[in-house]
Amino acid sequence: MTVGNPCRVMIVDDEVLIRQGIKHYFNWEEEGFLIVGEAGNGREALELIEEVKPHILLTDIVMPVMDGEELTKVVKANYPHIEIIVLSSFGEFEYVRSSFQSGVVDYILKPKLDAQSLLEVLRTAVKRMPDIYLSENHIEVTHSVDQLIDKLLSGYEVDSLEEAEAFFPHPAFFLLGADIKQTPGMQAEVKEQVRRVFAEKIDHAVCHPVKTDKEMLVFLLNIADRRYDEVVTVLKACSRHQPGCGFVLTSPFSDFANLGEVYRNRFLQLKQYRFYFPDKELVLQEDMSAAPGQPLHFHLEWLTEELKCGRFDTAFQYICEHGKKLSACCTAGVHEFKSLFNNIIFNVTILLRNIGYDVKELEIHQYRQMSLIEEAGSAQQVVSRLEAFIAEAKQCILQQQPAVDNPNMKMLLAYIDEHYMEPLTLTEVARHFHFHPSYLSSYFSNHNKEGFSEYLNKLRITAAIRQLNTSAAPISEISAQVGYSDHSYFCKVFKKATGCSPSQYRRKRLK
């Protein structure tokens, strides 16, 4: 590395707010460092390392997909020159000890993380790299521009825009996005093609990459006035030469200081619109004005009656048609849209169970399809997952007669399904139905595939999963809402049922 160039740092943490906070603790470039990339888990970090070539990796320990311990081992095995600093919580000593054995520089406790302690550890890491010498006097303009852009996109105010004005000399700005969901392994190729096309087709255009995630490359485009049509033509040609890659383009804006506002209020809307229309080669701001209105109300009460009366074909046809109508309405946020479909799947399973069908096998399909919905890159993919689940529900019905023919069990299950969110106990249910508790326990086990406690916990955990998918409420509040007065017991039961804690489950869903 050339003496005096910034030391390159990559941040790896599954919590976006922590990554943002670290990036803005201090002026990294003034201290001789440059943040070259960020990732939400170990796998994303490994995909970025070759592209951004960091000298230092600042990584969390507990993350989904690939944690910091495994990431440390892989990086040290394949990139031994990269120094690693670990972020940890108080309860992660075994992880930290294991990572030290893999050769990390140091660790920082998250609750005690501050600018000074972070700088000290970073400087310690630099001392272990003899070819790097930090210089506060050698800061290139492009690095300062990148930091300005990052602050504006993150919602921070900046003191001076002089460097940006020199770097972007033209009066018209656009935010341009290249959708790479269908071509995840071609980020570098798409990025280079976009920059090359604008360099060749539009004189003096500045096409600067500003943000990258697993779904979209983002560029800040700076050109002369009255060349909007020219930009659109170039992008359409670019899309045709890069199959599977589409683009979104904001309307022009003239003030660089408005970059963050344009990103949040225009660009993210265009990105959402593309989720509904993934085959459109170019999404423009004017397309949003023609967006369909709000979707129709889902008639759950009517659906319940149809299923109870055995009119399954009518009920399932309504569900599929409603799903297609929802996919044609691009006003709902992507998370909200996916939650609506997960709720439909959840309710169908509950209703079939209440009718008396054995849905144990269907529940496995339910969780698989809900997981695939969370990973879906387009509205059409979400609809196909719903249709796949409906096909599995039909198969469930065809393969069996209702498993509950006993009217007493039907009343018991219906009562539990209605009151599970209350502090329900076997004794209270027995009192309600005038049974002795021990007799009810035996009766329930003999006439149902699950015992009373197992059935009640499954119902509550399923409801908790539903809320974690659709609500931002605190986990302690969710545990109380689904019937658990003891939060620690809820966490224990949840982990036993799903294999992870409620907080880990929520973090996975937010990715």
Side-chain angles (χ1 to χ4, degrees):
M1 172 177 177
T2 304
V3 171
N5 277 352
C7 179
R8 303 168 68 82
V9 180
M10 180 157 71
I11 304 171
V12 188
D13 196 298
D14 60 326
E15 296 186 46
V16 176
L17 289 178
I18 288 181
R19 297 203 305 266
Q20 293 294 339
I22 290 173
K23 288 194 298 183
H24 302 293
Y25 266 149
F26 48 79
N27 190 321
W28 285 73
E29 293 174 10
E30 285 185 359
E31 301 296 339
F33 297 93
L34 176 66
I35 296 177
V36 293
E38 56 181 289
N41 58 62
R43 184 182 297 172
E44 290 180 9
L46 290 176
E47 292 172 355
L48 271 177
I49 281 177
E50 280 295 333
E51 180 183 349
V52 302
K53 295 179 170 51
H55 300 112
I56 297 175
L57 210 61
L58 185 63
T59 181
D60 187 16
I61 281 288
V62 179
M63 298 180 290
V65 185
M66 179 188 287
D67 63 22
E69 181 185 13
E70 185 179 354
L71 172 64
T72 297
K73 292 176 181 177
V74 174
V75 169
K76 280 301 179 183
N78 296 282
Y79 309 95
H81 61 283
I82 296 179
E83 298 294 345
I84 299 176
I85 299 168
V86 168
L87 298 172
S88 73
S89 299
F90 285 111
E92 298 166 0
F93 175 72
E94 291 300 323
Y95 281 107
V96 172
R97 183 171 64 179
S98 173
S99 63
F100 263 106
Q101 292 170 351
S102 299
V104 304
V105 176
D106 204 344
Y107 77 96
I108 306 174
L109 290 173
K110 282 186 178 180
K112 295 186 177 182
L113 182 61
D114 58 41
Q116 189 56 41
S117 61
L118 179 56
L119 264 176
E120 288 175 2
V121 176
L122 287 167
R123 287 167 179 159
T124 299
V126 170
K127 290 176 182 177
R128 294 170 55 139
M129 297 180 280
D131 293 336
I132 296 181
Y133 170 74
L134 295 182
S135 169
E136 297 182 1
N137 300 318
H138 188 90
I139 304 172
E140 296 185 14
V141 172
T142 52
H143 299 151
S144 298
V145 166
D146 286 334
Q147 190 174 45
L148 286 174
I149 289 172
D150 189 65
K151 284 188 173 183
L152 289 171
L153 292 179
S154 302
Y156 291 85
E157 294 183 359
V158 295
D159 298 328
S160 173
L161 299 176
E162 291 180 5
E163 290 162 337
E165 290 169 356
F167 192 81
F168 299 108
H170 307 301
F173 292 90
F174 302 82
L175 272 176
L176 164 65
D179 189 338
I180 53 172
K181 288 194 294 291
Q182 298 182 47
T183 55
M186 301 178 67
Q187 285 191 14
E189 181 180 333
V190 173
K191 182 183 292 186
E192 180 56 32
Q193 182 186 12
V194 170
R195 297 179 71 174
R196 185 179 65 252
V197 166
F198 276 101
E200 293 175 353
K201 302 295 184 181
I202 299 182
D203 293 340
H204 309 299
V206 179
C207 184
H208 188 70
V210 298
K211 195 177 182 70
T212 300
D213 59 33
K214 61 183 179 181
E215 295 182 349
M216 191 163 280
L217 302 175
V218 185
F219 304 84
L220 179 58
L221 187 62
N222 181 227
I223 65 171
D225 270 337
R226 293 183 293 277
R227 305 189 71 175
Y228 179 66
D229 292 341
E230 208 172 327
V231 172
V232 171
T233 301
V234 168
L235 287 176
K236 287 182 176 179
C238 196
S239 178
R240 287 191 290 270
H241 286 90
Q242 189 68 60
C245 180
F247 296 91
V248 300
L249 182 70
T250 67
S251 54
F253 59 102
S254 58
D255 190 347
F256 176 81
N258 292 334
L259 175 62
E261 181 184 346
V262 171
Y263 177 76
R264 290 183 293 276
N265 297 334
R266 299 190 211 170
F267 183 84
L268 292 181
Q269 282 188 348
L270 291 170
K271 184 179 178 182
Q272 174 183 300
Y273 186 91
R274 184 158 176 79
F275 173 82
Y276 290 93
F277 303 99
D279 297 327
K280 195 173 177 65
E281 61 182 18
L282 176 60
V283 176
L284 303 173
Q285 204 77 51
E286 50 261 37
D287 294 327
M288 298 298 296
S289 61
Q294 292 293 330
L296 298 175
H297 173 68
F298 184 72
H299 298 286
L300 181 60
E301 297 81 6
W302 176 86
L303 179 68
T304 301
E305 287 303 313
E306 290 297 291
L307 291 175
K308 283 182 177 179
C309 295
R311 293 190 285 268
F312 300 113
D313 288 342
T314 305
F316 290 148
Q317 181 181 355
Y318 168 73
I319 290 172
C320 292
E321 289 177 352
H322 187 80
K324 290 177 180 177
K325 290 177 181 178
L326 283 176
S327 70
C329 175
C330 61
T331 54
V334 174
H335 177 72
E336 178 188 356
F337 177 81
K338 291 180 176 181
S339 296
L340 287 170
F341 279 76
N342 279 334
N343 285 342
I344 291 172
I345 290 175
F346 174 84
N347 280 307
V348 169
T349 306
I350 292 293
L351 290 170
L352 289 178
R353 180 201 292 153
N354 291 348
I355 292 170
Y357 284 93
D358 179 2
V359 295
K360 185 165 287 188
E361 190 70 25
L362 184 62
E363 284 177 338
I364 297 174
H365 296 307
Q366 165 193 314
Y367 289 122
R368 187 181 74 247
Q369 297 299 348
M370 289 172 73
S371 177
L372 290 171
I373 283 175
E374 292 300 324
E375 297 172 3
S378 70
Q380 288 78 2
Q381 290 176 7
V382 174
V383 171
S384 70
R385 300 272 55 93
L386 174 66
E387 292 173 344
F389 172 78
I390 293 301
E392 289 158 348
K394 289 179 179 178
Q395 192 66 20
C396 169
I397 293 168
L398 287 173
Q399 289 177 347
Q400 59 178 308
Q401 291 298 317
V404 180
D405 294 323
N406 187 319
N408 290 333
M409 277 306 299
K410 285 186 177 181
M411 285 192 294
L412 282 169
L413 294 178
Y415 181 82
I416 296 170
D417 290 349
E418 185 177 351
H419 297 278
Y420 69 86
M421 72 293 294
E422 302 169 9
L424 201 62
T425 65
L426 180 69
T427 301
E428 290 168 347
V429 175
R431 186 183 302 117
H432 179 82
F433 286 98
H434 308 292
F435 287 143
H436 190 278
S438 60
Y439 174 76
L440 176 61
S441 177
S442 175
Y443 184 89
F444 198 98
S445 298
N446 290 334
H447 292 83
N448 195 56
K449 291 191 175 183
E450 299 153 319
F452 176 83
S453 295
E454 184 183 358
Y455 180 79
L456 179 60
N457 278 329
K458 183 175 74 173
L459 206 60
R460 286 172 168 173
I461 295 303
T462 302
I465 288 172
R466 179 186 180 189
Q467 291 212 44
L468 287 169
N469 284 333
T470 60
S471 167
I475 292 173
S476 58
E477 185 178 311
I478 290 176
S479 69
Q481 288 176 351
V482 299
Y484 289 99
S485 58
D486 186 335
H487 176 65
S488 61
Y489 179 66
F490 163 70
C491 293
K492 181 179 178 181
V493 174
F494 190 97
K495 187 168 185 178
K496 182 179 179 181
T498 65
C500 61
S501 69
S503 58
Q504 289 172 330
Y505 181 90
R506 172 169 273 173
R507 286 203 296 268
K508 289 178 183 178
R509 291 300 178 191
L510 291 175
K511 292 297 174 188

